[in-house]
Every structure is written in structure tokens, then in C-alpha cells.
Amino acid sequence: TDRYAVIGNPIAHSKSPAIHAAFAHQTEQDMDYGRILGDPDDFAGDVRAFVAAGGRGLNVTVPFKERAWELLDDLSDRARAARAVNTLMVSDGGILHGDNTDGIGLIRDLAENQGFSFPGRSVLLVGAGGAARGVLVPLLETGVAALTIANRTADKAHALADAMRAMGPVSGCGLNQLWDQRFDLIINATSSGLHGASPSLPSHCLAERGWVYDMYYADTPTPFCRWGQERGARRVLDGLGMLVEQAAESFLLWRGLRPDTVPVIKALREGQL
Ligand code: ATR
């Protein structure tokens, strides 16, 4: 039985063990997926202990994604650009590889599960922290016409856009500088929902029939999803699909198989997982 786990702090509420158990059952993989409460002062020690005990792979979550990026020498291009690692693989020689499946998880949920067509669209990404950085490169690779990063602290949005300039049509601004722009898709990558708030966006910036996507999810509609509903968004989505899709991409990296995510998303939505 190959051992995997998710490491974070806190970790008790993580859905990852249930998601990966469902994937393993579905694809008949002999694997065990646990959870590790990481030590904020010794993430490297926790990883070393897991590998020494024969662990094959880890998912890394809050607050360790950036620390995992610092720790690993061998990184995928997308993890390097994101400056964050959410998936760690242990090769047979005990070498650690870091990758990041958050961005591709977001794109797959929107494009495959929900049918959003990215090419030619104008997209607004709200937030300029780790969550936003993690999805930027995959978003630019979809063929969007324009990607605007808007952040409460405008300087951080400008810096992030400058760093990504070579990757595609990206610009940065403050939340209060979205004067006359309208977007086909607005993605919330801020942590404001954790404080029960929605980033304050001018109502006009959602195009008619525009979509709204909150990278976070909760059992009840998030403040940002409520904002979208109140403004008549064509589709209002939370991050549950992204959570399952990023897990499926990690599973693919580890096991070489892509699980069917649809039944797992449905089971989670219905509270059965
Ligand atoms: P994460 O790793 O979750 O992205 P982070 O790196 O601390 O966390 O970034 C948090 C992001 O949420 C930032 O973009 C932050 O805006 P600032 O850079 O201006 O601080 C944004 N954020 C948090 N609370 C917010 C709120 N109430 N309204 C708008 N933006 C908020």
C-alpha cells in the first residue's frame, strides 16, 4: 500500500482524504491517504519524517505552500511561477519533486465541468496574494483576450502583472480603479470570504451574462457568490469543483491515472463525503 497525505495547519476539516479515497476506490489503486497536522516551525522536519516512513506523495495546503516551494529544488515550471507547491512527489531514489495543480484545477472546473470558453474573453482576477499567483500562468495559457488583476493594495497587483508580462496580456490595478471596464468572468482569489466579506467591486464591472467564480467554497453561498447573484450573473460558482479538480491532477501525477471527478463533486455537494 502506497502512502500519501495532506499536510496543513489546521487540517482537521480538509476534504482531501475523502476525495482521494474516492479516487482510489474508483480506480482500484492500492493506496492510503492520511492527514498531517504540520508544525508551523518545522515543515521540513515533517516532510523528512513522512519520506523516511516510506511516503510517496503529499498535498500541501495552508500555510505551507510557499514553504514547500522554498524547500524543494526540483520544481515544475508552473510551481516555480506560482512560487507555491501544492503537490509533492517522492521518486524511487527519495528525491522530492514539487508541482502546483491549483491553476489547472481552476481551469478544468470552469472549462470542462462548467463549459466556460476562455479564448477571447476578458477576465478579472481579484486578489494578488498566493492564491491569485497560483492560478495566473494557467489562466494566461487559456487564450484570454485580457486578464486584469485587481487588488485592494494596488501596488501588489501592479507588481504581479509586471512579473507575468511576458506570459500574456495581463495588467494590474487597484479595486477602486475599475472605472469603465466590464468582464466576462470575475474570479475571487482574495481571502476576504474567510472574514465573511466580499471584495468591494463596482457593480458595473460584471458584463451582462458574465460569470462569477469564488475560489473558496462553503456549505452556504460565500459573500462573493451572493454578490454575483445579486448582480444577475449568468453563472455563480464556488471553488468546490476546483478543489476536486486540483486533487485529480495530483492523483494523475502520482498514479498516472485520471479519476472521474463528476461523481466526487456531486457526492461532496450532497454532503455524502
Ligand atoms: P492567499 O494566500 O489566500 O492569497 P494572502 O497572500 O494573504 O492570502 O493574500 C490575501 C489576498 O486577499 C490579498 O490580495 C488581499 O488584499 P491586500 O493585498 O490588499 O491585503 C486580499 N484581501 C483580504 N481581505 C480582503 C478584503 N476584505 N477585501 C479585499 N481584498 C482582501
Side-chain angles (χ1 to χ4, degrees), residues 127-131 151-153 156 175 189-192 199 216:
N151 195 46
R152 182 175 59 184
T153 311
K156 280 166 69 181
L175 282 179
T190 73
S191 54
S192 61
Y216 294 87

Side-chain angles (χ1 to χ4, degrees), residues 62-63 67 124 136 150 179 186 212-213 223 233 260:
V62 180
R67 250 176 276 175
L124 175 63
L136 263 178
W179 293 298
I186 304 181
V212 156
Y213 194 104
D260 182 5

Side-chain angles (χ1 to χ4, degrees), residues 88-169:
L88 198 149
M89 289 155 278
V90 186
S91 72
D92 287 337
I95 296 166
L96 303 181
H97 309 269
D99 204 337
N100 191 317
T101 63
D102 285 332
I104 190 71
L106 169 72
I107 306 301
R108 285 193 71 89
D109 189 37
L110 270 160
E112 313 281 327
N113 298 338
Q114 309 297 340
F116 185 80
S117 169
F118 282 97
R121 304 290 181 191
S122 61
V123 177
L124 175 63
L125 181 65
V126 187
R133 208 170 44 230
V135 300
L136 263 178
V137 169
L139 267 175
L140 284 168
E141 286 171 351
T142 60
V144 292
L147 178 64
T148 303
I149 305 167
N151 195 46
R152 182 175 59 184
T153 311
D155 285 353
K156 280 166 69 181
H158 288 133
L160 201 49
D162 286 344
M164 297 289 163
R165 191 81 67 208
M167 302 290 308

Side-chain angles (χ1 to χ4, degrees), residues 126 152 175 186 188 190-202 212 214 221-231:
V126 187
R152 182 175 59 184
L175 282 179
I186 304 181
N188 177 36
T190 73
S191 54
S192 61
L194 302 176
H195 319 293
S198 176
S200 37
L201 292 172
V212 156
D214 195 341
T222 66
F224 183 68
C225 285
R226 288 203 301 276
W227 180 88
Q229 276 154 3
E230 284 158 12
R231 273 146 198 86

Side-chain angles (χ1 to χ4, degrees), residues 201-253:
L201 292 172
S203 339
H204 67 74
C205 66
L206 182 65
E208 205 175 323
R209 318 276 293 152
W211 291 37
V212 156
Y213 194 104
D214 195 341
M215 282 175 41
Y216 294 87
Y217 80 96
D219 294 336
T220 53
T222 66
F224 183 68
C225 285
R226 288 203 301 276
W227 180 88
Q229 276 154 3
E230 284 158 12
R231 273 146 198 86
R234 179 176 180 200
R235 301 288 301 277
V236 175
L237 302 162
D238 69 15
L240 182 66
M242 174 180 174
L243 176 74
V244 177
E245 293 297 337
Q246 61 80 27
E249 291 293 322
S250 298
F251 192 91
L252 174 65
L253 289 169

